[in-house]
Every structure is written in C-alpha cells, then in structure tokens.
Amino acid sequence: MNWINSVVRPKIRSILRKKEMPDNLWVKCPETGQMIYYKDLEANQFVVPGSNYHMRVAAAARLKGLFDGGEYETIALPEVPLDPLKFRDERRYTERLKDARAKTGLNDAIKIGLGKLDGLPVVIGVQDFDFMGGSLGMATGEAIIRGLDTAAQKNTPFILFAASGGARMQEGILSLMQMPRTTVAVQSLRAAKKPYIVVLTNPTTGGVTASYAMLGDIHLAEPGALIGFAGPRVIEQTIREKLPEGFQKAEYLKEHGMVDMVVHRHELRATLSKLCHMLTKTPPRPPQPAAPARVNEPMPAGPA
C-alpha cells in the first residue's frame, strides 16, 4: 500500500497535471497595459509594438546587438574591496551583492566590451539597472575608468549606455568619490582626442547624471527616458510647484538643449556607427549585421 502511495500515485499525478506556464511567457507594457508575447518582444529589441515603449535591455544583450557579428572581448572589471564599510541595513550588503550577481550574471552594475562597430574598433560600456538599480559604486567607477583608459590606449571611441539610480549608499563616501575620478578619466580620453558618446537610457539619475553621464561629446537618449539629478516628485515637493508636462523626459530635454538627439532603439546602432566614423574621420563602410540580441538573459523587470 505504501508503494502505491509513494510511487504509483505521484507518477499518475505528474502525467495528468497540466504543464505549468512560465512566468515570463507574457510581458505587460508598463505604459498601456498591453500584453506582449516575450519572444515577440525579444525579437523587437524589447520595444513594445504599438506603444513604442522601450523596455530595459540586459547589458550582455545590448553589447551583443551592437558589435559586428555579436563578437567582442569583455574587459575585466578591476578588483575592489567587497564591503569596505561593513554595511548592513535590513540585510548585509554582501548578501545584496550575491543576489544581484545571481540575478544578472554580472560581477557589478556594468559590463564593458571591446570590438568593432561596422569595422571600426570601439569600446562600449553598458550599465545594467537590474544590478542594484545600476548604482555607482567602487567597482562600477573603476570599470568606467578602465574602459576610458582602454579607449585612449587603443585610440578608439568610447560609448557609454547610462542607466542608474545614482550613487550606491552602501559604499557611502567611497561611492561619491567615483564622480570626480570618472570625470578625470573622461578628460584623459578627451586629451587623447577620441570621441566620448553617451546614450542615456531610462532612468539616468543622481550622481551618474552629475558626473560622467553628462560629459560626453555627444548625448543621445532613448525615447521616453527619465533623465535628471533628483526625481520629479522630489523637485515638486521641494519647490512646491507643478512641473511642466514631460519634465525630465528625453524629448523635453532635447527641446531645451540638454540632449543632442533622441534615437529609437531600432536606429541606434546605425546612428552610433555614423557618429563614430564621422568623429574619427574614418571612411564608413557598408553596415555590418549585428547578431540578434536574443540571448539567455534575465527577463527585463520594468521600464527601459
């Protein structure tokens, strides 16, 4: 009787049980509530058809979709102290880092690659908002500095995709120190007379906006991206006035001269290629196809 209960019945139940639907099979558009099949969204570079809403893209998928053939060399992140302040709030900082690494597959909130964009060597850095809100800590600061130094040494443009909520509070003043340090590294690339192009994605706020994200030779932005230092709600509560419609959105900032171009994700690769060839005075060649950004990356969890 025990054999029937422990072996036979579970097997029968497993046969009759309906196949469970994966949690990420369908994605809801945060703007319109439209439900989109995940594979269709992935094939459309995570841009929602109809509403044109730009969802977040994982760093590895972004790099794969930009470089020729999806091939690039990953630039290793420098080693930094894991928890210099021994910080703890509701949980230990080391535990939060462990969870973020498991979720994204990244060592920290940025991934940097060296490869070719339509035949032109470039260094590209991508901040990943899914890693603790893309926050700027010691590891991210060191990685950006290494990316800028690598571009200067190899005489290539440096392209940065910014996505961050600001400085990482768990590292305190050590996080804030990355603002001037990255600023100095940007000046080093400028001294080498190589282009620095920033692509602002949703959201780019806080200390990142107050430092390297606003020091580019050219600033592009994805449609609808939130860009600013403090959030609109904080500003309204501080000045006690209603902000203009679309305040701190990419389109509003373009109208007021803070952003040079607002570029749809489908046109972003071609635009970056054109700018890099023009700024380096390199004759363009026919565009090379990039690998589809269809890799086994974590599901985007929210706005682009």
Side-chain angles (χ1 to χ4, degrees), residues 10-289:
K11 285 188 176 181
I12 294 174
R13 290 195 188 99
S14 65
I15 294 173
L16 298 178
R17 188 184 297 122
K18 293 182 180 179
K19 186 177 180 180
E20 294 182 359
M21 183 178 294
D23 292 337
N24 64 347
L25 189 60
W26 292 88
V27 183
K28 185 177 181 179
C29 173
E31 195 170 75
T32 64
Q34 174 189 357
M35 298 299 294
I36 314 101
Y37 186 52
Y38 179 78
K39 291 296 182 182
D40 292 339
L41 183 64
E42 186 181 42
N44 202 42
Q45 300 182 38
F46 294 103
V47 177
V48 179
S51 70
N52 202 39
Y53 190 91
H54 284 50
M55 304 282 284
R56 288 202 297 267
V57 181
R62 178 86 74 172
L63 290 174
K64 188 177 177 68
L66 288 168
F67 287 112
D68 293 351
E71 298 179 357
Y72 62 93
E73 174 189 347
T74 299
I75 298 176
L77 273 62
E79 293 291 333
V80 298
L82 188 63
D83 185 9
L85 303 182
K86 307 299 180 186
F87 189 92
R88 178 170 185 170
D89 45 18
E90 295 177 353
R91 301 174 61 201
R92 294 184 184 275
Y93 178 38
T94 51
E95 294 175 357
R96 294 186 184 277
L97 283 174
K98 184 178 179 180
D99 290 347
R101 289 172 176 175
K103 176 183 178 182
T104 62
L106 301 177
N107 192 52
D108 210 87
I110 191 168
K111 188 176 180 68
I112 300 180
L114 168 65
K116 291 186 176 182
L117 178 61
D118 288 337
L120 181 69
V122 295
V123 178
I124 302 177
V126 181
Q127 288 186 267
D128 197 320
F129 194 81
D130 284 341
F131 194 107
M132 297 186 69
S135 52
L136 173 62
M138 294 175 64
T140 300
E142 291 288 350
I144 292 171
I145 293 170
R146 176 165 292 185
L148 289 162
D149 288 345
T150 301
Q153 292 168 8
K154 295 187 177 293
N155 294 314
T156 72
F158 183 71
I159 302 171
L160 176 73
F161 284 79
S164 177
R168 188 171 297 174
M169 69 172 189
Q170 291 89 349
E171 295 184 16
I173 189 65
L174 299 175
S175 172
L176 297 177
M177 286 172 59
Q178 307 313 310
M179 296 168 61
R181 294 184 72 244
T182 52
T183 299
V184 172
V186 170
Q187 296 306 318
S188 298
L189 181 66
R190 191 157 292 153
K193 298 182 179 180
K194 293 301 170 186
Y196 174 41
I197 301 174
V198 179
V199 182
L200 303 162
T201 67
N202 187 41
T204 303
T205 60
V208 169
T209 309
S211 55
Y212 57 86
M214 281 298 162
L215 295 176
D217 299 306
I218 296 179
H219 292 97
L220 311 182
E222 291 191 329
L226 175 67
I227 304 162
F229 182 70
R233 184 178 60 183
V234 174
I235 296 174
E236 284 187 338
Q237 291 174 349
T238 302
I239 66 176
R240 298 181 180 179
E241 291 184 13
K242 185 68 177 176
L243 295 174
E245 185 69 26
F247 182 77
Q248 290 189 326
K249 292 292 186 178
E251 294 77 8
Y252 182 92
L253 297 182
K254 178 180 179 296
E255 291 176 4
H256 290 78
M258 193 171 177
V259 170
D260 296 305
M261 301 171 64
V262 177
V263 184
H264 194 283
R265 189 173 292 165
H266 293 168
E267 302 170 358
L268 195 52
R269 186 178 188 275
T271 301
L272 289 171
S273 173
K274 184 177 180 180
L275 288 172
C276 287
H277 281 86
M278 179 181 67
L279 293 174
T280 57
K281 299 181 180 179
T282 304
R285 73 175 193 177
Q288 301 297 304

